[in-house]
Amino acid sequence: MLITFKSKAATEITMYKEHARRILELLHKDVERGIITPPELPQAIQKIEAAVAESKAHPISEEVSRDVNAHHNENGDDNEHETPEPVSFATRAFPVLEMLHAAHKMQREVMWGV
């Protein structure tokens, strides 16, 4: 399932719900549908930037390791798959963070699921 973030301050951003979930849970927002109002933007930006900094401090999480191990056997054989290249939280959050900054600058809301 996909989620599309919309704001009059920036271009739409579409991402998988499972990837958007972590961002939205940081903000205590519903994954299905919601809005970040202009007064909420500074705190939202701060929370996401803090999570990005934390993810950079610990680049390989247990969750990523579990994912890699689920697709490869204990000998490290590839099973005819390409070598996994995990996408960091910082990389996934970057477009949304940029949208939040633009929305804050223009005092516009950010919505999804509508």
Side-chain angles (χ1 to χ4, degrees), residues 24-65:
L24 295 172
E25 285 178 350
L26 286 170
L27 306 177
H28 305 288
K29 297 289 186 175
D30 182 20
V31 177
E32 297 300 324
R33 178 183 316 188
I35 186 169
I36 301 170
T37 62
E40 294 175 313
L41 288 167
Q43 186 177 18
I45 291 167
Q46 181 183 17
K47 285 182 178 182
I48 294 172
E49 286 177 343
V52 165
E54 177 68 20
S55 74
K56 286 181 178 181
H58 305 287
I60 303 204
S61 69
E62 183 180 328
E63 183 179 334
V64 171
S65 297

Side-chain angles (χ1 to χ4, degrees), residues 4-114:
T4 301
F5 291 93
K6 300 176 184 179
S7 176
K8 291 185 179 183
T11 305
E12 290 183 358
I13 300 166
T14 302
M15 62 185 352
Y16 287 110
K17 184 191 292 188
E18 62 199 55
H19 298 149
R21 182 180 313 279
R22 180 169 176 198
I23 296 168
L24 295 172
E25 285 178 350
L26 286 170
L27 306 177
H28 305 288
K29 297 289 186 175
D30 182 20
V31 177
E32 297 300 324
R33 178 183 316 188
I35 186 169
I36 301 170
T37 62
E40 294 175 313
L41 288 167
Q43 186 177 18
I45 291 167
Q46 181 183 17
K47 285 182 178 182
I48 294 172
E49 286 177 343
V52 165
E54 177 68 20
S55 74
K56 286 181 178 181
H58 305 287
I60 303 204
S61 69
E62 183 180 328
E63 183 179 334
V64 171
S65 297
R66 224 177 314 135
D67 255 3
V68 170
N69 290 333
H71 292 96
H72 301 277
N73 69 26
E74 58 202 31
N75 297 327
D77 293 337
D78 191 12
N79 297 325
E80 299 181 26
H81 294 281
E82 292 182 17
T83 305
E85 294 182 30
V87 178
S88 70
F89 173 73
T91 301
R92 291 195 195 281
F94 180 78
V96 175
L97 194 52
E98 288 295 301
M99 177 182 272
L100 293 176
H101 279 290
H104 179 59
K105 183 177 180 181
M106 296 180 68
Q107 288 299 293
R108 300 289 188 160
E109 62 277 337
V110 174
M111 301 175 286
W112 61 96
V114 291

